Amino acid sequence: MNANSSNRLWIYDTTLRDGTQREGLSVSTEDKLRIARRLDQLGIPFIEGGWPGANPKDVQFFWQLQEEPLQQAEIVAFCSTRRPHIPAAEDPLLQAILSAGTRWVTIFGKSWDLHVTEGLKTSLDENLVMIRDTIEYLRSQGRRVIYDAEHWFDGFKYNREYALETLHAAIASGAEWLVLCDTNGGTLPHEVGAIVKNVVEVVGDRNSPQIGIHTHNDSDTAVANAIAGVLEGARMVQGTMNGYGERCGNANLCSLIPNLQLKLGYSCIQTEQLAQLAQTSRFISEVVNLAPDDHAPFVGRSAFAHKGGIHVSAVERNPLTYEHIQPEQVGNSRRIVISDQAGLSNVIAKARTFGIELDKQNPAARQILQHLKKLESEGYQFEAAEASFDLLMREALGKRQQFFTIKGFQVHCDLVSGIEQQNNSALATVKVTVNGQDILEAAEGNGPVAALDEALRKALVNFYPQIAEFELSDYKVRILDEHSGTSAKTRVLVESRSQHQRWTTVGVSTNILAASYQAVVEGLEYGLLLHLSTGVAFKMVKGNG
């Protein structure tokens, strides 16, 4: 790796170590391996895998990567300097690091005298010896070392001379990178820039290690701080995918990489790899079981969403009017949002995303717009229920296919002394007409919505076998007029999915079951429509009632 190229930056991902310290985030060994391989595909040069010896999960992770190495990334083991007054060669923590079998090791040491005396309970001189001894030992064992200067910016501000001594100790013992860490996340960009510039001036000769930057987001400036460090000479950027990390998180690589590469001209990953960024972000969200941030810059679902009619009209003419980059550069896409603020431009643009060509002169376009505004005034919301909007458009254009007709439904819930039983047992009965045949079906479920969904499926699956592949994956309820008490209007959003697609439908009623039923019915209807539109032929089977 040639770290001297003028515009080359080395991205260092610490999602699997620093990122997993986020509250509520937990991953298995298999999860870590899946994430590591996805980051490898993205072209990340350094992937920090964890602290071998700190827990069995990390030990297993490194062992498995020895058996099946990554394609291009360097996997990095992480550890502290050796403990006070214990030679590095005798410290069990460092033996675990060597057993991990990585070529690169990241060692963190204390830069702030406060942490040396109060945290380590040792002398300032012993801390310098710990840094030197640890790095020299790892170098003698054939390892290449990245030195993370923990609490660097606070240490520099409180005792500049001693902080610089710790860096010189790392340099003298063979560290190849010096990474300046804003561990508490309290430093601001102008301070980061000035301090990094000072460090580069002091240690930045040709034979010295390269400088890196590691920032936390406690002041909501982690990305800005990392950029400030790069502009003053840092050539390694450490961060996490989606900004995961302890407290308020780490610098978000999903924002840093495109900002550095697309806006500042640095080379981080290949262009075709950058186009995988949004997909990688969402993949990792799924693996760690945290909902993606729809409003995240660059990779969020709403990052290139346009809602106001004037905005949509302008973007249709020239995307530069309201988009700072082309969404495809980071693997995202433009979305036209439909709401009560929509104009004809929104409706026409949105229709096009569903393969429907409309013209402003077409009366159906204005009919759809007026119907949309009327429904939203009643409590409907189509921003998050695009499947229902597609059905609304098809209805107005006379193109809505009638797969089945609902004749009615009933729901019975088992109650004991007014309290629902623990198993939430419910029985639903539905009556539908399919292909001229009336079907009456009943089913039990864990709650009324699940029972309704199951009864509908039983009624329809003999006619449309593909329904067996659909799942009700999410269910959200919102009370729209909370001051109306039990007569309040309720909006229900239902997300359905098949193996490859997801779609959301909406229902509104003063009766929560009626609203739920509407959303569930439209969810099944739209799933059938998707199967038809992708060329899947239906085998019509006569039902037995």
Side-chain angles (χ1 to χ4, degrees), residues 207-222:
N207 298 318
S208 293
Q210 293 288 299
I211 303 300
I213 185 76
H214 176 117
T215 56
H216 285 253
N217 203 38
D218 298 74
S219 300
D220 204 20
T221 57

Side-chain angles (χ1 to χ4, degrees), residues 342-345 347-348 358-374 392 396-397:
L344 278 177
S345 297
V347 171
I348 291 168
L358 281 178
D359 185 271
K360 285 189 176 182
Q361 308 307 316
N362 187 338
R366 192 162 297 280
Q367 178 187 344
I368 292 169
L369 178 62
Q370 296 306 317
H371 193 195
L372 168 73
K373 291 180 181 291
K374 176 179 181 295
L392 182 153
L397 295 169

